[in-house]
Amino acid sequence: MRLINWIIGILFFFHSSLLLSQEAPKRCGFQEVLQSLESDSSYLAEQIRIKKNATNRVQAKSDTIITIPVVVHVIYKNQTENISDAQIYSQIEALNKDMRKLNADTTIVNNQFSKADVKIEFCLTKTNPDGTYTSGITRTYTDIDNVGYNEQYFMIKPSWGRDDYLNIWVCDYGNNVAGRGYPPGSLADRDGIVIDYTNFGTIGTAASPYNLGRTVTHEIGHFLNLFHIWGQNDLTPNCGSDDEVLDTPNQSTIYTRCQSFGNSCGSDDMTTNYLGYVFDRCMANFTQGQKTRMRNALLTSRTALVNSNKGCNALAINEASLSSNYTIFPNPN
Ligand code: ZN
Ligand code: CA
């Protein structure tokens, strides 16, 4: 009888695990991106150029705030997927808090690790490619499924041009993946990030466990040339591979869900980094080394974007929170 109870317990455990694993999408599709780029000569050349650019490396260490104009392309099959402006604002706000270390949960980060204010901000653009006014949001209907995973989003709604905008596509990604981002030197037509509508923003369709906007924070890391903290291989992470960042310890374990402590390569693992796979509520920091690498990549490889004159939309008041407090205007009515 005891044995039967034990077997039932085990079965129940595995059944529950299966249910849970079905609930949480895969954090990121960057592995497929890297596979598509591993023999791409222009990507590899750009990686070498970024590494060699010592001048910009000095600049990257400076603390000038860089502001990047963003266009959010919503691609939808139904009104649920046609997410609200407010949800988009909530994402821009969450992203900026993370990039400026204004997120309230940095306390979960082990004190031995750095927590960087990256000093890069994002705003919805106010200027269409033709120079006219825009809210920084486009909306395009499609009847096609899984347009992220199947790489159709950039054909359904073409990029506004990576020299002027960070393009963010929000859609039904497909294949139970939260999103992906493209690093410097990748193909222009899909350069940017693409995110599932259930893992974008902090309200509306944003669904736990990726409902604090950190799928975007993570993918922006890739857009700015960060690898996952264990290196470039999700399948065989090991203590001999790394992410080309010195202050993120090597780790051979990929933590999913939430993890407060780990020690997989003889030193404490950084379980709270944005470039890991844990749930949104369990990640809270970029390091100083990641900051330098991101700024170096931006100033070397995405200089046109840094100098874009497309501007910030005043409607996207959410970045007002960057000055750490909202200004509440009296309402005469
Ligand atoms: Zn990733
Ligand atoms: Ca490292």
Side-chain angles (χ1 to χ4, degrees):
M1 197 59 192
R2 258 192 185 164
L3 182 65
I4 286 174
N5 284 343
W6 195 72
I7 290 169
I8 288 171
I10 295 271
L11 287 175
F12 182 76
F13 173 78
F14 280 109
H15 181 66
S16 306
S17 306
L18 190 63
L19 285 178
L20 286 168
S21 66
Q22 283 171 343
E23 280 168 17
K26 185 172 185 290
R27 167 55 88 180
C28 172
F30 190 60
Q31 189 70 42
E32 287 95 4
V33 173
L34 282 179
Q35 280 161 3
S36 73
L37 292 170
E38 65 189 359
S39 55
D40 182 314
S41 57
S42 54
Y43 166 72
L44 297 171
E46 194 61 11
Q47 286 292 310
I48 291 167
R49 197 170 76 86
I50 292 170
K51 273 179 201 163
K52 283 184 176 169
N53 202 329
T55 308
N56 281 338
R57 196 166 294 135
V58 173
Q59 273 187 302
K61 285 178 180 165
S62 79
D63 257 358
T64 315
I65 293 173
I66 299 166
T67 303
I68 305 292
V70 175
V71 56
V72 173
H73 302 299
V74 179
I75 297 174
Y76 64 96
K77 287 195 313 285
N78 54 54
Q79 282 311 313
T80 304
E81 295 174 9
N82 191 16
I83 62 170
S84 69
D85 287 358
Q87 187 171 347
I88 293 166
Y89 298 158
S90 78
Q91 177 61 70
I92 300 292
E93 180 180 1
L95 171 64
N96 283 328
K97 281 184 174 170
D98 289 350
M99 299 300 292
R100 295 302 318 277
K101 205 181 77 173
L102 293 169
N103 52 307
D105 54 357
T106 54
T107 48
I108 69 170
V109 180
N110 184 322
N111 275 330
Q112 70 181 289
F113 302 129
S114 63
K115 311 172 218 181
D117 173 359
V118 179
K119 298 213 170 175
I120 300 171
E121 298 177 357
F122 296 85
C123 69
L124 288 168
T125 184
K126 66 177 178 184
T127 316
N128 272 308
D130 68 6
T132 56
Y133 171 80
T134 177
S135 64
I137 299 168
T138 74
R139 297 180 182 278
T140 306
Y141 170 78
T142 185
D143 58 1
I144 304 171
D145 291 316
N146 307 333
V147 298
Y149 189 77
N150 294 332
E151 300 198 315
Q152 286 172 299
Y153 59 97
F154 56 85
M155 293 182 265
I156 294 165
K157 181 63 188 180
S159 166
W160 274 14
R162 64 173 165 187
D163 286 350
D164 287 326
Y165 310 94
L166 161 64
N167 285 263
I168 299 179
W169 288 268
V170 183
C171 59
D172 171 18
Y173 187 97
N175 212 38
N176 205 32
V177 177
R180 65 162 63 159
Y182 282 84
S186 48
L187 290 170
D189 59 358
R190 67 210 68 185
D191 198 2
I193 67 175
V194 52
I195 308 290
D196 191 84
Y197 71 99
T198 62
N199 307 120
F200 188 88
T202 63
I203 59 175
T205 60
S208 180
Y210 304 143
N211 58 343
L212 299 176
R214 275 151 177 178
T215 303
V216 170
T217 303
H218 176 113
E219 299 305 334
I220 291 289
H222 291 315
F223 177 77
L224 297 175
N225 213 31
L226 295 186
F227 297 124
H228 296 134
I229 50 175
W230 52 86
Q232 299 187 47
N233 197 332
D234 278 18
L235 300 177
T236 55
N238 62 79
C239 298
S241 65
D242 84 324
D243 61 352
E244 303 180 1
V245 174
L246 288 177
D247 64 359
T248 54
N250 287 14
Q251 64 179 64
S252 61
T253 303
I254 298 176
Y255 302 104
T256 56
R257 307 175 63 78
C258 287
Q259 181 84 16
S260 58
F261 180 78
N263 185 310
S264 62
C265 292
S267 59
D268 288 350
D269 295 333
M270 195 184 300
T271 57
T272 58
N273 194 271
Y274 292 129
L275 270 289
Y277 275 3
V278 293
F279 291 166
D280 275 14
R281 65 178 181 275
C282 297
M283 51 169 58
N285 73 307
F286 289 114
T287 67
Q288 293 293 335
Q290 286 175 315
K291 171 185 179 178
T292 301
R293 183 176 168 91
M294 282 192 277
R295 292 178 67 91
N296 182 36
L298 188 56
L299 292 165
T300 303
S301 194
R302 298 193 184 279
T303 47
L305 184 57
V306 172
N307 297 319
S308 167
N309 63 1
K310 297 302 183 184
C312 291
N313 199 313
L315 263 183
I317 52 167
N318 302 64
E319 58 279 4
S321 63
L322 284 179
S323 40
S324 71
N325 288 303
Y326 283 104
T327 305
I328 309 294
F329 295 101
N331 185 341
N333 301 316

